Amino acid sequence: MNEKPPLLISACLLGQPVRYDAASKPLPPERLTRLTRDYRLVPVCPECLGGLPTPRPAAEIAGGDAAAVWQGRAKVATKAGDDVTAAFRRGAREALALARAEGCAQALLKANSPSCGGARVYDGSFSGCLRPGEGVAAHWLRRHGVEVINEDQLP
Ligand code: SF4
């Protein structure tokens, strides 16, 4: 019997209460059943791996896109103005290390997150507005060859 391919997956999509507000965003049960049948799921929460506590203040990318965060030209900050860029970058590196250790060529990550978002992120104004862009970890994984999709792109 063939071994199932590994899939890096946002822990909050599996129901783990790791979001900034200590909630989760579980996928529908039938979706989870199908994923579990087809893949060996490797849970990851980049923000937790970066050392941030749960719960934690919400954070958004400000002053540029994820590439700019890696170039030091933009930052990730909380509404109160605390700079959490280093933790976000650390978590992204750890997520990539986990993907490599587990042999994950693909990742299914949570949409719209400043870490995990693959197509849109909040715009840094804490007003609930989304703009096109990637999260810090999604960008880092893609840049190193991991295919990233969000749950809203599942067929
Ligand atoms: S960093 Fe990613 S896995 Fe962790 S709570 Fe946010 S969206 Fe979910």
Side-chain angles (χ1 to χ4, degrees):
M1 196 171 94
N2 287 340
E3 206 176 300
K4 291 188 275 189
L7 177 69
L8 197 70
I9 182 167
S10 289
C12 56
L13 293 177
L14 293 175
Q16 296 183 18
V18 291
R19 276 167 47 102
Y20 72 97
D21 55 1
S24 65
K25 285 281 183 181
L27 291 166
E30 63 277 10
R31 173 78 71 190
L32 273 176
T33 301
R34 217 176 318 154
L35 285 172
T36 305
R37 185 192 65 201
D38 295 341
Y39 295 94
R40 177 171 63 82
L41 301 180
V42 178
V44 66
C45 175
E47 291 174 28
C48 299
L49 286 178
L52 293 169
T54 304
R56 54 188 172 275
E60 298 189 2
I61 298 173
D65 60 11
V69 170
W70 285 101
Q71 293 159 1
R73 295 187 290 104
K75 64 180 183 178
V76 189
T78 68
K79 193 173 184 178
D82 292 326
D83 188 335
V84 287
T85 309
F88 271 66
R89 288 167 57 147
R90 191 182 315 123
R93 286 197 182 95
E94 291 291 329
L96 177 62
L98 179 63
R100 285 180 168 164
E102 296 287 343
C104 301
Q106 296 174 295
L108 172 61
L109 302 184
K110 177 77 191 73
N112 305 337
S113 151
S115 286
C116 293
R120 282 176 303 279
V121 290
Y122 290 100
D123 68 359
S125 65
F126 292 90
S127 57
C129 293
L130 289 164
R131 62 169 171 78
E134 301 167 291
V136 176
H139 178 86
W140 193 245
L141 288 164
R142 279 181 175 150
R143 197 160 135 187
H144 291 88
V146 179
E147 181 192 347
V148 174
I149 64 165
N150 288 153
E151 78 282 9
D152 54 5
Q153 293 173 278
L154 286 169

